[in-house]
Amino acid sequence: MEAILKKWEAAMQADAALNDRLQRLNPEGYPATQKGDLVCLAIKGEKKPVVVAWDGRSIRVERKTPKKPFLAWSIDAAKFKEIFLSGKFPPVLVAMNDDQKNIKARCDHHNGALCLSFLVMLQEVTEGGGKR
């Protein structure tokens, strides 16, 4: 799992368009992206969830206890493997729609769109992950 997390992190750090969106300012000239834990994937049966965090300079993907994540998704291990590791997966939005009771998110268009981008990237970066 650690190798996959590093692969995910490297892909996110290397994506120029994603980094541009992370650096974007709001109309008042302040950062539009909140700092901290943006996505938390809590995998049932695992002690620590997968967290995508932004510190204002770089993006991290690691297993840790999250602090006030923007989007939290509690998912069972089989569903996590199917969606993020198998290479044969439903689109993230379809999977999230099927699992709404296990998802909590705060309202903000910019941060919400970033969180979806993160989840799509996690799918697409996985070894053997096809783009459908």
Side-chain angles (χ1 to χ4, degrees):
M1 179 61 112
E2 292 306 313
I4 291 167
L5 298 182
K6 290 297 174 200
K7 187 174 184 178
W8 286 348
E9 183 176 278
M12 289 183 161
Q13 290 175 350
D15 189 303
L18 178 61
N19 282 289
D20 179 59
R21 290 174 67 195
L22 287 165
Q23 301 286 348
R24 198 160 294 164
L25 301 178
N26 68 17
E28 292 78 35
Y30 298 106
T33 304
Q34 73 177 46
K35 290 182 187 175
D37 299 336
L38 295 176
V39 173
C40 170
L41 284 172
I43 306 158
K44 293 175 185 166
E46 298 282 334
K47 290 187 181 200
K48 298 227 178 179
V50 173
V51 176
V52 179
W54 165 250
D55 67 6
R57 290 185 312 268
S58 64
I59 196 160
R60 311 281 308 161
V61 180
E62 55 196 334
R63 297 191 73 161
K64 66 176 191 170
T65 302
K67 295 178 185 161
K68 298 182 185 175
F70 182 83
L71 183 142
W73 185 359
S74 176
I75 189 169
D76 67 47
K79 184 65 86 173
F80 176 81
K81 183 177 179 183
E82 175 191 354
I83 294 169
F84 295 103
L85 303 179
S86 71
K88 297 177 182 177
F89 46 74
V92 162
L93 287 174
V94 171
M96 291 179 80
N97 196 46
D98 290 344
D99 209 11
Q100 284 183 6
K101 68 183 183 305
N102 295 318
I103 298 172
K104 293 185 174 117
R106 292 189 256 156
C107 288
D108 176 283
H109 175 74
H110 178 76
N111 289 302
L114 275 170
C115 288
L116 288 179
S117 295
F118 295 159
L119 293 169
V120 169
M121 284 188 75
L122 298 185
Q123 276 192 327
E124 292 179 347
V125 169
T126 301
E127 190 70 40
K131 295 180 184 175
R132 299 188 342 169

